[in-house]
Each structure stands twice: as C-alpha cells, then as structure tokens.
Amino acid sequence: MELIQRLFLCVVDGTQLGEGEESELEIFNPSFTYPIFGNEEKIYGYKGLSIQLHFASGSLAQYLNVSYKSKIKARAAIDDVEGTLYKFIPPDYYKSETEFLKRVAKDAVEFKPLGNLIHTYTRRKRSGDDEELVKNGDNESDEKRTFEVYHVSPHTTWETPGFREYHRRMQIFILLYIEGGSYIQEDEDRWEFVVLYEKKKTQREDGQTLESYHFVGYSSLYPFWFYEDKTRLRLSQFVVLPPYQKQGHGSALYNAIYANIVSRETVAELTVEDPSEAFEDLRDKNDLLMLLKHEQFNLEGFGPGEKDGVKKKGKLGPPADKPWVEKWRRDLKIAGRQFARLVEMLILRSLDPLDAQARRAYRLQVKERLYRFNYEQLIQLEKEERLEKLEETFQNVHEDYQRLLALVD
C-alpha cells in the first residue's frame, strides 16, 4: 500500500491546552518517504494502516502512533513499521499520548529557542488565509504575528546545552521534504544552524501572558577554507514546514542567513550545495531584490542616462566592467557563478530591445560564461555542433531569466 497517503505529521501547539481542552493540531503529509521505507514507498502486511508522528510545536518532542485494521497472517511478509522509524527518530519518543500531551503543555510554558537571536520580523493576517509583511514597529495590532530567527554558532554547536538532542528531533524533516536529503555527521563540530520560530503571546485564564515558540524551519551551513583567514560558508540544508510554506518565510529565513554572513568579517562568501529548483528560484529572487535596493549598485551600474544626445553606458555595460563587478561580488559575498547570473539578469532587465550593439554585447557576455562553465562537454563537440549547442543553451537561459525577472518586477 502507498505509504505517502498513510504517513501523517502532526505539529501540536500547547498554548491553548488546559484541563478538558483539545490541543491545536497542524496535520500534513511528507513529500518523500523513500529514505525511510525504500524507493517504492510501500509498507506490506497491513490493512487500514495509519502512521502518525506527532511533534510538540516548540521542542519537537515526538509521539509515534501506528494503527491498522488488520495484519496478514504471513509474519515474514509484514514490515516492522515502528522498528524502521526507530532508526530515524530519537529513541526517547513518546508511546503514550497522555504523557506526550503533558509534555506539550509543559513546553508551551518552558521551551525557549537555543542560540542567539539574529533577526525578528512580523506579519499580520489579512482577509482569508493570506498574510502581508509588517515593517518592524509599524501597525501594532492584536492580529500581528512575530517570527524570530536564531543562530547556533559554529564550534559551539554541539556544546550548546540541549541542541544536539534538538537537532536529532528536527533533522527528520530533511528526509521528508528535501529530495535526496540525508542526515549530517555529528562528529563534525563546525556545523552551524539557523532556526526560525513563530513567537506567540497568549492570554491565560489567570490573566498572565504566555510567550511560546513554535518551530517553522531551519537551515544548516558548513564552512570551508577559502583563503588566508577567511572561510566560504556552504548552505547545505534548508526546510520550511508545510503549514508555513508559500507565505514568505523561506525568503525571510534566507535573508536572515545572508545578512548574518555579510556582517561576519571571517566569511568570504555564501555558496549553496546542490539546490533544488524551488530553492534556486527563492535565492535568485531575493538576491535580485537585494541588488535592486542597493542604490550605489543601481546608479553606477546603469549610468546617468543620456548626455548630448548620446546614451552613456554604466558599469554593467553590456559588456559589464569586470573589475567593478568583481569588487561588488566580493563586497556582497556572493559566489562567482551566482553573481555572474545576477548581473546578466540585471542587464537584461534594462536592455534596450532596439539597441542591436548592446544586445550583441550581452549575448556574447552570457555565452562566454556558459562556454567556460560547460567547457569539458562542449570541447568534445565539432565546432558547428558546439556553436549550435551554445546558442540553444543561451536561449534557454534567456527564457529562464525573463521568468525570474517577472518575479521581481
């Protein structure tokens, strides 16, 4: 039977949990289960099988409930559901719902995020399910929701009291929501983590205000030596839970990570490990918005317009001024290929479709980068076929740039 329809994840919010009250549940399904149950994503030997993995919304303490209508008689063909999951979740998960709900209620009062607060933002509800960003300090209202981003620093990650255990509870989301995701090696002490929470304030019956924290998502990063005393930080994993997706929280988390990296003198640049298409879009969109808000980059890049009837070309050209581009790339700590793509998109955004010379210079700039990036494959082709392949790749890139620019215009 298909597992993807039988495994349910439940995040339990204990802020409203009191005597005789029901806990608040967010129920959702995983995107992938093959890392746990195999490529076919099937479990054999049961009828009416239901697997529910509950998480306390803050501490992520877990309660596993496996139920079914019946088992087949042949024991050898029955999969051990709990035994299989046991290999991927911490051994201290709850088997009693009553004891789990006691933990949920306790966490609502006692759980606090680990690490250092690096960013706060707020949102407010609009009509329906949509929300909009509220600038810090503006539009105070009861409908405002607060979100906080915490950073667990490298070298002290596993020494932070309680974080090793916390990481073991949250890492299963990597398997369930990232294609090809896997657990990291805990014997490496250089990992750092950025975790996003929703901070809720609840008025209790006794009149006191309860502050509680609820897990939204997280990212892991790993440093590599760059040059001298600098490091290159690689963003390795990035996940936001389904109840918070498509609301801008992924962008908020990414921008908090980027701002933190820019502020650190020892970090030379940010790279991303094997990003999915969805994450590439998120990254491109936010990097473009950052550059478009950068006044100096904008003004120097595109020049002052026309003088004596002659259009003046800025530093972005085309072709772009390479030393100027490299200076900004280093200052903004963006990896080389990513920054080159961003520059190409910004040029295309302002490119005059009637300026044949500029369009040709732009085309050559993009093709030069594509040729270098795909050199090993292209050099094996005959010249005519190589040129055809390069043109085909350029057209695909050009089309994708137009799609991405539509996200920011």
Side-chain angles (χ1 to χ4, degrees):
M1 77 183 47
E2 294 294 333
L3 173 68
I4 198 71
Q5 297 175 354
R6 299 296 181 183
L7 174 58
F8 304 94
L9 306 180
C10 309
V11 173
V12 187
D13 178 356
T15 55
Q16 302 293 337
L17 197 59
E19 187 175 351
E21 295 179 311
E22 293 290 330
S23 57
E24 183 179 336
L25 295 178
E26 286 278 4
I27 302 175
F28 45 95
N29 297 103
S31 299
F32 311 102
T33 54
Y34 65 83
I36 299 173
F37 291 101
N39 291 334
E40 292 186 353
E41 297 190 309
K42 293 181 179 179
I43 294 177
Y44 295 95
Y46 302 87
K47 288 185 178 180
L49 175 66
S50 175
I51 307 168
Q52 294 190 9
L53 184 58
H54 297 242
F55 298 82
S57 60
S59 71
L60 301 180
Q62 297 167 10
Y63 159 58
L64 176 61
N65 179 36
V66 180
S67 61
Y68 49 86
K69 292 180 180 178
S70 63
K71 283 184 182 181
I72 64 173
K73 293 182 179 180
R75 291 183 174 236
I78 299 176
D79 290 331
D80 182 2
V81 177
E82 187 167 356
T84 300
L85 278 168
Y86 185 85
K87 302 172 186 176
F88 295 92
I89 61 177
D92 60 350
Y93 66 90
Y94 287 85
K95 297 185 180 182
S96 163
E97 183 178 16
T98 301
E99 293 303 313
F100 172 70
L101 291 178
K102 289 180 181 178
R103 172 67 180 272
V104 170
K106 179 182 178 183
D107 285 350
V109 177
E110 298 182 359
F111 174 77
K112 296 294 182 288
L114 303 171
N116 300 312
L117 177 65
I118 60 171
H119 181 60
T120 300
Y121 64 97
T122 55
R123 294 182 181 278
R124 65 169 178 266
K125 291 182 179 179
R126 297 188 297 185
S127 58
D129 295 327
D130 292 332
E131 299 174 344
E132 64 179 300
L133 189 65
V134 181
K135 294 180 180 179
N136 292 342
D138 293 343
N139 300 315
E140 293 287 339
S141 80
D142 293 337
E143 294 297 315
K144 186 175 71 173
R145 300 171 64 187
T146 301
F147 296 85
E148 296 183 346
V149 183
Y150 286 79
H151 178 226
V152 183
S153 302
H155 300 295
T156 63
T157 296
W158 306 127
E159 296 175 9
T160 301
F163 187 78
R164 186 185 296 272
E165 293 74 20
Y166 191 78
H167 175 257
R168 289 174 180 172
R169 294 194 289 271
M170 71 180 179
Q171 66 179 348
I172 195 170
F173 296 125
I174 299 301
L175 302 185
L176 300 178
Y177 293 104
I178 297 180
E179 179 82 57
S182 60
Y183 288 171
I184 66 170
Q185 298 296 318
E186 286 188 1
D187 56 356
E188 289 282 353
D189 66 351
R190 301 176 69 192
W191 285 101
E192 55 186 277
F193 297 86
V194 183
V195 189
L196 172 61
Y197 296 91
E198 180 176 7
K199 180 181 178 180
K200 293 183 179 180
K201 291 186 177 182
T202 308
Q203 198 75 22
R204 303 303 294 260
E205 291 182 355
D206 59 6
Q208 294 185 342
T209 300
L210 171 67
E211 284 190 351
S212 60
Y213 293 85
H214 308 269
F215 178 85
V216 175
Y218 83 100
S219 181
S220 62
L221 301 102
Y222 192 83
F224 292 86
W225 181 84
F226 190 61
Y227 62 87
E228 297 179 353
D229 58 346
K230 302 283 186 178
T231 58
R232 173 190 285 119
L233 261 185
R234 184 176 70 187
L235 192 154
S236 178
Q237 301 165 322
F238 189 98
V239 65
V240 172
L241 294 188
Y244 291 96
Q245 290 177 6
K246 300 187 183 302
Q247 300 169 35
H249 298 297
S251 291
L253 178 57
Y254 174 77
N255 287 327
I257 293 169
Y258 176 72
N260 176 260
I261 286 171
V262 169
S263 70
R264 291 160 61 179
E265 293 184 1
T266 58
V267 178
E269 66 182 35
L270 172 66
T271 64
V272 179
E273 177 184 352
D274 193 20
S276 65
E277 290 183 7
F279 184 83
E280 277 195 325
D281 282 358
L282 180 148
R283 179 192 189 193
D284 289 341
K285 174 184 175 181
N286 285 284
D287 286 352
L288 280 170
L289 288 172
M290 179 272 296
L291 290 178
L292 288 170
K293 291 176 182 177
H294 207 296
E295 184 177 354
Q296 284 183 296
F297 188 90
N298 240 318
L299 292 176
E300 291 183 50
F302 295 107
E306 295 187 2
K307 183 177 181 180
D308 300 328
V310 179
K311 185 175 291 186
K312 296 195 68 177
K313 188 167 62 174
K315 296 291 187 179
L316 283 175
D321 184 309
K322 290 183 179 179
W324 183 85
V325 168
E326 178 61 14
K327 171 197 175 296
W328 277 105
R329 186 196 72 77
R330 289 177 177 271
D331 289 348
L332 297 174
K333 301 186 179 182
I334 298 176
R337 177 175 177 270
Q338 173 68 357
F339 198 71
R341 292 177 64 252
L342 295 170
V343 166
E344 291 165 5
M345 283 185 251
L346 289 179
I347 295 173
L348 177 60
R349 183 174 181 267
S350 299
L351 195 62
D352 184 351
L354 301 179
D355 190 336
Q357 184 178 356
R359 288 187 3 270
R360 181 177 184 275
Y362 170 72
R363 186 170 63 253
L364 291 175
Q365 178 176 328
V366 176
K367 284 187 174 182
E368 179 187 1
R369 179 184 65 81
L370 293 173
Y371 182 80
R372 290 198 310 269
F373 185 74
N374 299 287
Y375 177 79
E376 294 298 331
Q377 292 79 26
L378 291 172
I379 201 63
Q380 299 177 38
L381 305 176
E382 296 294 332
K383 182 177 180 181
E384 184 175 347
E385 187 180 1
R386 183 162 64 240
L387 293 175
E388 289 178 358
K389 191 66 177 176
L390 196 57
E391 176 63 21
E392 178 187 343
T393 305
F394 169 76
Q395 292 298 335
N396 291 336
V397 167
H398 182 267
E399 182 179 343
D400 196 49
Y401 283 176
Q402 290 177 317
R403 178 185 65 84
L404 290 165
L405 287 170
L407 299 177
V408 300
D409 287 331

